[in-house]
């Protein structure tokens, strides 16, 4: 028998609704698929009639291809597909070749006919093909095999395009969302905990390219510093967007100033305000269009509506908090799915625990915070953070994440790179 050509058949949903800009979004999706699949035996990526087919070289294993495609935003679902001839009997042969590999009790055939010149309509193909497959299934697996259109155990998809006929079984979920790089850049304040990394992922899912700023105690102490945790999280997220930048900002000295000059109950709010200001300056340098944090309403004392307001007040860029309405359990479930949970549960000190107040203010007001901050030279502290910042760049290429360069802040770093 001739080697069977295999493809991954990919559908996108939301992009299809973008009437005028569809070409831009689909073009980026195809580029992203090509980048994600680099190094795997892919023959070519084609785009017949509103779906994408990734054709594999002969005998290429599909699992690694599936794994990579499941991290490409914009993919609504995917399925392993084979090419069939245009005659019903040929379609049935290919379909049975895929379906008949393991036993099942119920199935459905779903046909999409993009080629309106095909001599039968979708419903006719579904009925006839269903009958042919039923006969073979009952013969092999027993008389109990049924057609079940609502909740079939197995599904056979037939796509009749003007070029090829594709037959696929058992659709898999893609990540959904919009293709990476279609929405502009954001800067996420990445803490090393569970939340901010999940927050970043949600913004990435909608097409934003997200860079990271992490504030750590100085110096990086072996075994207890948060910087390696932030680095590992940035590394984990990089395959979703192909490239990331992580700014590491030493924060202990800034905290010491706040501890020395401001009332203790306001410390956490003042730390957060300084973090936002510094991250915003780095964001503007990178032409980011907004900031992202992992705040969730009322999760901790600094996340009351009062404190979110007094902290957020210092930002000029829009501040996005995609987890604001999430419960901790929902966030942790997502962290598990993303594979960041274990890293985020490591013990580390991002800020010196000695600097944490015993009784942080829970319902802060703008004027009392301004008063508490009045003894600080805010601009000098921002500059102190910027001067100490270092930049690390992460790249995803041929299935591997590498850290390409480490440069000091202030050195040339174009927003694009
Ligand atoms: P997370 O799980 O993300 O650490 P959290 O529940 O611990 O969040 P907070 O510590 O109050 O909440 O932090 C709120 C947000 O402030 C974080 O989600 C993050 O965006 C930002 N943030 C906190 N600490 C840091 C840090 N050391 N570096 C960068 N951002 C930080
Ligand atoms: Mg935290």
């Amino acid at each position: 028998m001739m080697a069977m050509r295999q493809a991954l058949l990919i559908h996108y949903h939301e992009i299809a609704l973008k009437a005028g800009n569809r070409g831009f979004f689909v073009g980026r999706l195809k580029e992203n698929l090509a980048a994600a699949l680099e190094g795997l035996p892919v023959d070519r990526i084609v785009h017949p009639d509103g779906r994408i087919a990734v054709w594999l070289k002969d005998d290429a294993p599909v699992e690694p291809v599936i794994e990579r495609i499941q991290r490409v935003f914009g993919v609504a679902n995917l399925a392993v597909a084979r090419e069939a001839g245009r005659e019903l009997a040929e379609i049935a042969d290919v379909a049975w070749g895929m379906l008949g590999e393991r036993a099942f009790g119920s199935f459905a055939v779903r046909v999409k006919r993009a080629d309106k010149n095909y001599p039968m309509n979708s419903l006719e193909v579904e009925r006839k093909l269903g009958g042919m497959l039923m006969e073979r299934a009952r013969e092999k697996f027993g008389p109990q095999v049924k057609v079940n259109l609502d909740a079939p155990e197995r599904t056979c998809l037939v796509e009749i395009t003007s070029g090829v006929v594709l037959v696929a079984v058992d659709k898999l979920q893609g990540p959904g969302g919009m293709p990476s790089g279609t929405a502009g850049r954001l800067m996420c304040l990445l803490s090393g905990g569970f939340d901010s990394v999940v927050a970043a992922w949600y913004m990435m899912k909608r097409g934003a390219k997200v860079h990271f700023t992490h504030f750590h105690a100085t110096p990086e102490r072996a075994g207890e510093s948060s910087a390696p945790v932030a680095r590992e999280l940035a590394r984990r997220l990089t395959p979703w967007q192909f490239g990331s930048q992580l700014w590491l900002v030493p924060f202990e000295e800034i905290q010491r100033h706040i501890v020395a000059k401001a009332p203790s109950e306001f410390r956490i709010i003042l730390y957060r305000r300084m973090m936002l200001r510094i991250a915003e300056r780095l964001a503007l340098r990178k032409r980011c269009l907004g900031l992202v944090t992992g705040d969730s309403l009322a999760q901790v004392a600094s996340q009351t509506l009062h404190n979110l307001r007094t902290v957020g007040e210092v930002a000029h860029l829009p501040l996005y908090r995609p987890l604001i309405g999430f419960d901790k359990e929902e966030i942790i479930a997502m962290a598990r799915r993303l594979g960041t949970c274990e890293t985020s549960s490591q013990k580390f000190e991002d800020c010196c625990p000695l600097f944490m107040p015993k009784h942080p203010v829970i319902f802060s007001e703008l004027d009392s915070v301004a008063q508490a901050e009045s003894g600080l030279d805010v601009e000098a502290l921002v500059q102190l953070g910027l001067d100490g910042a270092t930049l690390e760049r992460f790249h995803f290429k041929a299935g591997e994440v590498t850290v390409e360069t480490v440069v000091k802040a202030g050195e040339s770093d174009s927003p694009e790179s």
Side-chain angles (χ1 to χ4, degrees):
M1 204 172 121
M2 226 176 69
M4 194 77 70
R5 286 223 302 155
Q6 288 207 111
L8 270 300
L9 180 62
I10 293 168
H11 289 111
Y12 44 85
H13 282 157
E14 212 173 314
I15 302 170
L17 310 174
K18 306 250 166 216
N21 298 319
R22 194 181 307 149
F24 165 69
F25 286 98
V26 174
R28 183 53 69 92
L29 177 57
K30 280 165 67 183
E31 278 170 35
N32 290 352
L33 281 166
L37 294 170
E38 215 186 298
L40 294 179
V42 169
D43 184 22
R44 64 209 169 94
I45 300 175
V46 293
H47 180 219
D49 303 324
R51 67 269 289 145
I52 293 174
V54 175
W55 286 101
L56 305 185
K57 295 195 173 137
D58 286 345
D59 303 325
V62 292
E63 286 74 20
V65 180
I66 291 174
E67 202 179 296
R68 297 248 193 114
I69 294 175
Q70 281 182 319
R71 280 195 301 214
V72 176
F73 290 123
V75 173
N77 58 64
L78 64 155
V80 179
R82 289 183 190 159
E83 187 178 356
R86 299 181 83 75
E87 298 297 325
L88 267 187
E90 294 174 305
I91 299 175
D93 278 347
V94 174
W96 182 246
M98 301 175 87
L99 269 183
E101 281 166 4
R102 60 187 167 88
F104 55 90
S106 66
F107 76 106
V109 177
R110 304 202 204 281
V111 173
K112 281 196 196 137
R113 190 184 58 136
D115 174 13
K116 298 301 171 200
N117 295 320
Y118 194 75
M120 276 174 277
N121 68 29
S122 308
L123 211 62
E124 284 173 295
V125 181
E126 277 174 8
R127 287 218 187 96
K128 290 196 173 141
L129 202 56
M132 293 159 97
L133 292 173
M134 175 77 102
E135 229 172 77
R136 297 194 193 187
R138 285 194 168 158
E139 197 176 296
K140 183 161 181 190
F141 303 131
Q144 74 289 350
V145 177
K146 287 188 184 54
V147 168
N148 179 343
L149 295 181
D150 297 324
E153 223 175 280
R154 309 286 304 278
T155 308
C156 172
L157 310 153
V158 178
E159 308 235 340
I160 303 171
T161 72
S162 39
V164 292
V165 173
L166 287 169
V167 180
V169 292
D170 306 331
K171 253 188 216 176
L172 302 167
Q173 283 283 313
M178 302 301 282
S180 175
T182 54
R185 269 185 292 273
L186 293 171
M187 178 66 81
C188 176
L189 286 84
L190 183 71
S191 72
F194 293 100
D195 307 327
S196 40
V197 60
V198 174
W201 183 84
Y202 272 106
M203 299 311 285
M204 284 163 54
K205 182 180 181 206
R206 297 305 302 166
K209 177 105 179 183
V210 181
H211 295 323
F212 309 104
T213 301
H214 174 70
F215 298 87
H216 63 92
T218 0
E220 272 194 38
R221 291 185 205 91
E224 61 183 41
S225 169
S226 60
V229 174
R231 198 174 281 136
E232 176 57 22
L233 294 176
R235 174 185 285 277
R236 290 255 166 193
L237 286 187
T238 298
W240 296 91
Q241 60 176 1
F242 308 106
S244 308
Q245 300 186 4
L246 170 66
W247 289 94
L248 293 168
V249 181
F251 201 60
E252 197 170 308
E253 202 178 331
I254 296 171
Q255 282 187 295
R256 283 185 193 284
H257 279 271
I258 294 171
V259 168
K261 300 274 171 53
S264 69
E265 64 270 29
F266 286 95
R267 275 178 202 166
I268 292 180
I269 290 169
L270 301 187
Y271 298 160
R272 293 277 177 272
R273 281 161 68 100
M274 287 312 302
M275 286 183 185
L276 265 187
R277 290 184 179 109
I278 294 166
E280 182 173 67
R281 291 278 281 272
L282 295 170
L284 290 169
R285 216 187 261 185
K286 292 284 165 186
R287 295 204 214 124
C288 295
L289 299 169
L291 301 165
V292 182
T293 67
D295 293 305
S296 148
L297 180 56
Q299 192 191 81
V300 291
S302 60
Q303 292 165 355
T304 60
L305 287 177
H306 292 70
N307 292 351
L308 289 170
R309 178 189 184 207
T310 53
V311 170
E313 184 208 19
V314 302
H316 302 93
L317 284 172
L319 176 53
Y320 298 104
R321 293 166 163 136
L323 304 185
I324 197 69
F326 281 50
D327 290 348
K328 192 79 188 180
E329 283 185 9
E330 294 170 306
I331 296 168
I332 291 187
M334 199 60 217
R336 276 208 190 91
R337 277 181 57 193
L338 295 179
T340 58
C341 196
E342 217 172 292
T343 307
S344 291
S345 48
Q346 284 174 40
K347 289 236 176 314
F348 59 79
E349 288 167 13
D350 59 346
C351 303
C352 183
L354 288 177
F355 298 160
M356 296 314 253
K358 283 214 178 62
H359 303 290
V361 59
I362 294 173
F363 304 114
S364 61
E365 297 293 343
L366 294 176
D367 50 1
S368 53
V369 171
Q371 178 63 36
E373 206 173 55
S374 60
L376 297 172
D377 184 345
V378 168
E379 183 48 34
L381 294 181
V382 168
Q383 204 51 55
L384 186 63
L386 292 173
D387 290 345
T390 56
L391 171 64
E392 301 187 2
R393 291 200 181 98
F394 296 76
H395 293 278
F396 180 66
K397 220 170 150 45
E400 299 287 329
V401 178
T402 51
V403 184
E404 195 204 39
T405 43
V406 181
V407 291
K408 273 288 198 194
E411 284 179 29
S412 75
D413 43 62
S414 80
E416 270 58 51
S417 56

